[in-house]
Amino acid sequence: MRIYADNAATTKMSEKAIAAMLPFLSDIYYNPSSLYALGQEAKDALEAAREDIAECIGASQREIIFTSGGSEGDNQAILSAAKIGEKNGKKHIISDGIEHHAVLNTLKKLEKSGFEVTYLPVYENGIVKPEDLLSSLRDDTCLVTIMYANNEIGTIQPIKEIGEICKKHGVIFHTDAVQAVGHIPVNVKDDNIDMLSASAHKFHGPKGVGFLYVKRGIALTNLIEGGAQERGKRAGTENVGGIAAMAAALKESVANMKNASQKLTELRNKLIIGLSGIPHSALNGDKTKRLPSNVNFCFEGIEGESLLLLLDDKGICASSGSACTSGSLDPSHVLLSIGRPHDVAHGSLRLTIGDDTDEEQVDYIIKSVNEVVTHLRNFSPVWRDLTAGKANFIL
Ligand SMILES: *Cc1c(COP(=O)(O)O)cnc(C)c1O
């Protein structure tokens, strides 16, 4: 059996997305900036994709800029808002500790150049409190950047409330919505979002392409100098095939969202109940305010890395945190932020299911995780101390 349960890391391209991409890899290879009719065909495809994408998130087509993915969108949005702030003498930013590194490392860079960042607490359930945002706002706050849904523990933030607060106080609100777009309903107007980054490969589109929504009236700073593509805000010949595929994937995901999320939620809950049966384990993140696809657990007395390798032997692809932190010995910053101690955070497992996941696979995952955790604990000196009463259980 081969089970892919790492859809937060990347997703399989849908058939429709592949079909939408192919013509631009063969017959319609022209540069969309060319003036002849064939170039215009590529240009038309680009603009049709822009319109489709805008419609999927409640934006207007002029508010969509194509990027290389979520990381670029996060960087550009945050640096642009910082530049606007700096011009107005405002150098305070509000965020939180469980953001993706594309956000956190951009904020670190700004802190080195004189910006001050307040990181809101996310509490045990991994969710920020709007009242904390309200009390952290200052006269010199130029940006609030809070992710829509977390990539490790799946928690969904109160985006509408955050958007309302930011609007009322005239502060730019950016959200990294890479895990949300195509998976849960997102509407930038309803939520008062000023900037939003998304990435195609997280919703069954291709890798290396994404988009940034920027509300009309907000001046973007470009990260890349060059030609006048994307109204001068993002130079470089557009990835026409990738963009067409991204639009097709997003349209399809939005059309199927209701059914897919209902099915995923049922499977997710079954997984949560099944894994909760393992002694000294705990679900990470809120029980219900989480993505329909996300399950994240800590198991006391084991190492996440060993768990992943043994699950891989059983044909299960999973993760212990974000792709960027797995491989390093530091425990996940997200799990530390929700108050998990280092030792416990090391024994984590993230399962992110998808459209292909079925009940039989879920049963197999539950059985396999049970076996592997028991096996690892049998060899764990930490577990021996815990069961001998030489150390105290935390979970
Ligand atoms: C995957 C991811 C990113 C990065 O997107 P890329 O397209 O891979 O650059 C950013 N933020 C979140 C929340 C993600 O899950």
Side-chain angles (χ1 to χ4, degrees):
M1 197 163 338
R2 193 90 211 133
I3 296 175
Y4 184 69
D6 201 17
N7 284 278
T10 198
T11 58
K12 183 182 177 181
M13 272 184 80
S14 74
E15 308 253 327
K16 279 189 181 157
I18 294 171
M21 190 167 190
L22 287 178
F24 304 99
L25 304 182
S26 51
D27 295 342
I28 317 175
Y29 58 84
Y30 311 100
N31 191 318
S33 297
S34 305
L35 290 179
Y36 38 80
L38 290 170
Q40 287 305 297
E41 239 179 88
K43 176 87 181 160
D44 289 347
L46 212 57
E47 294 317 313
R50 201 186 306 277
E51 205 159 326
D52 286 343
I53 287 168
E55 199 181 314
C56 285
I57 61 160
S60 83
Q61 148 257 328
R62 278 181 59 87
E63 297 173 313
I64 304 295
I65 295 280
F66 296 124
T67 65
S68 67
S71 301
E72 184 184 334
D74 285 341
N75 275 259
Q76 190 169 16
I78 293 168
L79 294 174
S80 298
K83 186 133 192 184
I84 296 168
E86 196 163 27
K87 264 191 206 157
N88 299 316
K90 297 181 173 189
K91 294 182 81 171
H92 176 238
I93 296 171
I94 300 174
S95 188
D96 61 81
I98 64 168
E99 293 294 314
H100 190 272
H101 282 110
V103 169
L104 289 178
N105 291 344
T106 306
L107 293 176
K108 261 192 213 153
K109 188 156 105 176
L110 287 170
E111 283 178 296
K112 281 193 190 126
S113 65
F115 280 80
E116 202 183 318
V117 183
T118 300
Y119 296 92
L120 300 178
V122 294
Y123 302 93
E124 213 177 310
N125 68 349
I127 297 177
V128 301
K129 290 188 176 160
E131 57 262 40
D132 288 338
L133 168 62
L134 205 52
S135 60
S136 303
L137 279 170
R138 309 193 321 211
D139 289 341
D140 63 341
T141 307
C142 62
L143 169 70
V144 170
T145 175
I146 291 174
M147 69 201 317
Y148 211 113
N150 184 267
N151 46 305
E152 288 187 41
I153 56 172
T155 48
I156 300 169
Q157 302 299 334
I159 292 300
K160 202 178 163 78
E161 284 103 310
I162 294 168
E164 254 165 43
I165 292 170
C166 292
K167 186 183 178 190
K168 199 168 150 215
H169 292 82
V171 176
I172 292 178
F173 173 36
H174 164 254
T175 186
D176 172 339
V178 172
Q179 292 289 336
V181 167
H183 299 282
I184 54 174
V186 172
N187 185 297
V188 293
K189 295 289 178 281
D190 290 350
D191 290 348
N192 287 309
I193 296 166
D194 297 313
M195 291 180 166
L196 171 149
S197 10
S199 176
H201 76 101
K202 301 291 176 76
F203 53 77
H204 304 286
K207 292 164 188 58
V209 58
F211 67 89
L212 178 61
Y213 152 80
V214 187
K215 191 178 171 178
R216 191 171 299 192
I218 296 176
L220 268 192
T221 305
N222 44 347
L223 301 180
I224 300 168
E225 305 298 339
Q229 290 92 350
E230 299 298 294
R231 289 186 283 118
K233 298 306 176 194
R234 207 282 182 175
T237 303
E238 300 87 343
N239 176 2
V240 185
I243 290 165
M246 167 164 67
L250 184 56
K251 262 184 13 181
E252 190 182 8
S253 295
V254 168
N256 297 337
M257 190 181 289
K258 218 171 161 184
N259 284 338
S261 100
Q262 205 170 349
K263 188 193 136 193
L264 286 171
T265 303
E266 276 169 29
L267 292 174
R268 179 199 72 190
N269 291 346
K270 186 173 171 153
L271 260 177
I272 291 177
I273 291 169
L275 297 181
S276 301
I278 298 176
H280 305 287
S281 70
L283 177 72
N284 294 312
D286 198 85
K287 222 168 171 175
T288 55
K289 286 178 196 141
R290 68 190 301 132
L291 292 169
S293 56
N294 179 290
V295 174
N296 191 315
F297 265 82
C298 278
F299 303 104
E300 203 159 0
I302 61 164
E303 285 288 334
E305 284 74 18
S306 325
L307 179 59
L308 292 186
L309 292 176
L310 292 181
L311 287 178
D312 189 24
D313 285 344
K314 290 181 179 287
I316 299 170
C317 307
S319 157
S320 70
S322 61
C324 338
T325 47
S326 57
S328 88
L329 282 174
D330 291 334
S332 144
H333 67 288
V334 175
L335 297 179
L336 296 180
S337 291
I338 61 168
R340 298 287 185 218
H342 273 240
D343 286 355
V344 171
H346 269 303
S348 72
L349 173 69
R350 178 185 76 179
L351 297 159
T352 43
I353 55 177
D355 305 338
D356 296 342
T357 314
D358 59 26
E359 207 155 340
E360 193 193 345
Q361 293 188 352
V362 165
D363 288 333
Y364 180 76
I365 294 174
I366 294 171
K367 179 171 152 279
S368 303
V369 175
N370 258 285
E371 286 169 6
V372 170
V373 169
T374 305
H375 175 77
L376 287 172
R377 281 176 172 172
N378 282 338
F379 293 98
S380 158
V382 177
W383 183 253
R384 202 181 315 128
D385 285 353
L386 287 167
T387 47
K390 288 186 195 155
N392 292 325
F393 282 109
I394 295 165
L395 302 180

